[in-house]
């Protein structure tokens, strides 16, 4: 069973929390801790969270991971 991987990123706002919550609601699982970094050019904090999901189909680079 293939495991898919996504790295969700966003500015450090509620939009990031909603993006992660949506992925969890669709069966994705947190993978590791979130990461934060200062985006000096934009003047904002950025967040990242890895998520994984086991699927019952062969992996293909053409997959739309956000729709899985």
């Amino acid at each position: 069973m293939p495991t898919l991987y996504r790295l969700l990123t966003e500015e450090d706002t509620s939009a990031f929390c909603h993006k992660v919550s949506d992925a969890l609601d669709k069966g994705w699982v947190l993978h590791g801790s979130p990461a934060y970094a200062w985006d000096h050019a934009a003047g904002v904090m950025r967040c990242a969270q890895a998520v994984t999901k086991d699927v019952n189909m062969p992996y293909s680079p053409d997959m739309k991971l956000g729709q899985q």
Side-chain angles (χ1 to χ4, degrees):
M1 179 179 305
T3 300
L4 303 180
Y5 171 89
R6 292 174 65 196
L7 182 64
L8 306 174
T9 61
E10 185 69 54
E11 287 185 23
D12 186 13
T13 66
S14 62
F16 175 72
C17 296
H18 288 289
K19 185 183 279 192
V20 174
S21 295
D22 182 55
L24 296 174
D25 188 56
K26 293 178 179 172
W28 292 84
V29 178
L30 298 176
H31 183 78
S33 300
Y36 298 90
W38 177 252
D39 181 340
H40 185 63
V44 298
M45 286 296 291
R46 301 246 180 229
C47 304
Q49 174 65 59
V51 292
T52 61
K53 184 176 184 180
D54 293 333
V55 294
N56 290 321
M57 62 184 73
Y59 170 75
S60 167
D62 298 326
M63 288 178 145
K64 304 285 187 199
L65 297 178
Q67 296 174 359
Q68 297 300 317

